[in-house]
């Protein structure tokens, strides 16, 4: 089981959108996937079409990490209900629901015991190929808890000045954190999001990122998608949305997911 944190120190760069795009690709590919929504704003939970009433949220699961049965408390994404109506074998896309309660752990001084809460929960989960953890935009307790439980960190960045600088800081933070707390943790790469191929600034910043990060800058990049908010607002998977632009974006996430899974498998083989 690969556990991947989707992170950035900077807010609003597209962590949740990339999480949703990868979840959509995983659902299309039949990859059994759990999305853990660690952001107290719970945007991923909303985008995945989860009903507020069902299941226990991840904040309360973390609070009782040793006693909670995570399997009994995750809920299926609303995307599944839409798929099931079309018949066929039911795929697996579950959600550990986000909630404002999670914020009690988003402190800069979270101790080692608290940092292990998500690892403790995930250690009792077996029936997924992939776990995607949508992180809040900070390096406080929640992101550090996610990194403690993860094999890899996928960074998201926009091709813009401050975002590139933020990505470099995050890379350094991963290195420092893995040296201290999680020797097996590695970067999975950087997804450049909201790329406009017609923008000279974006072309320049992408080139700069290629020079700074080499192969860690993943290909393909994710373009600016005019109807992304409409798709997310309707709580739809991008793979289920009609039209050519959604189909192209879905194809980009298929490729990113393929790369993520195969690089994870290569890494596992090398480590064994
Ligand atoms: N490729 C894209 N094309 C168009 N709009 C996008 C794209 N990626 C993200 N957005 C939009 O930008 C906004 C911020 O994206 P998102 O919520 O995914 O970022 P985030 O990094 O998760 O934010 P936060 O730090 O607040 O958690 C959203 O309204 C989203 O729909
Ligand atoms: Mg988000």
């Amino acid at each position: 089981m690969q556990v991947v944190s989707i992170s950035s120190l900077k807010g609003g760069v597209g962590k949740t959108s990339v999480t949703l795009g990868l979840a959509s690709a995983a659902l299309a590919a039949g990859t059994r996937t759990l999305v853990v929504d660690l952001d107290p704003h719970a945007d991923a939970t909303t985008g995945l079409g989860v009903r507020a009433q069902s299941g226990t949220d991840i904040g309360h699961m973390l609070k009782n990490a040793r006693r909670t049965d995570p399997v009994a408390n995750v809920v299926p994404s609303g995307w599944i209900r839409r798929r099931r109506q079309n018949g066929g074998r039911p795929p697996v896309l579950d959600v550990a629901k986000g909630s404002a309660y999670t914020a009690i752990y988003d402190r800069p001084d979270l101790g080692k015991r608290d940092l292990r809460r998500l690892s403790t929960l995930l250690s009792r989960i077996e029936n997924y190929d992939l776990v995607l953890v949508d992180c809040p935009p900070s390096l406080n307790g929640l992101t550090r808890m996610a990194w403690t439980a993860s094999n890899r960190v996928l960074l998201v960045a926009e091709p813009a000045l401050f975002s590139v600088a933020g990505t470099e800081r995050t890379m350094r933070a991963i290195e420092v954190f893995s040296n201290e707390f999680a020797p097996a943790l590695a970067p999975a790469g950087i997804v450049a999001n909201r790329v406009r191929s017609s923008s000279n600034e974006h072309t320049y910043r992408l080139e700069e990122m290629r020079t700074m990060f080499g192969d860690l800058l993943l290909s393909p990049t994710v373009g600016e998608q005019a109807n992304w908010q409409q798709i997310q607002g309707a709580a739809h998977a991008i793979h289920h949305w009609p039209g050519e632009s959604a189909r192209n974006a879905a194809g980009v996430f298929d490729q990113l997911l393929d790369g993520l899974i195969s690089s994870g498998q290569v890494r596992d083989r090398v480590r064994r």
Side-chain angles (χ1 to χ4, degrees), residues 6 8 13 26 41 59 70 85 91 106 121 154 168 207 225 230 241 253 260 264 266:
I6 293 93
S8 73
V13 295
H41 291 292
Q85 286 164 7
D106 212 19
L121 271 182
L154 185 66
E168 202 186 11
E207 209 36 62
Q225 174 83 16
Q230 193 188 352
W241 197 259
F253 284 109
L260 189 64
V266 169

Side-chain angles (χ1 to χ4, degrees), residues 159 194-203 206 221-224:
R194 299 194 86 143
V195 175
R196 289 193 304 275
S197 52
S198 58
S199 160
N200 291 339
E201 170 68 8
H202 281 195
T203 308
L206 278 178
T221 59
V222 180
E224 172 85 16

Side-chain angles (χ1 to χ4, degrees), residues 158-204:
E158 285 180 2
L161 171 64
F162 296 133
S163 190
V164 174
T167 304
E168 202 186 11
R169 280 203 307 280
T170 317
M171 272 303 177
R172 275 203 303 271
I174 294 170
E175 205 182 315
V176 170
F177 186 83
S178 64
N179 286 341
E180 201 172 341
F181 295 106
L185 186 72
I190 302 159
V191 177
N193 184 38
R194 299 194 86 143
V195 175
R196 289 193 304 275
S197 52
S198 58
S199 160
N200 291 339
E201 170 68 8
H202 281 195
T203 308
Y204 175 81

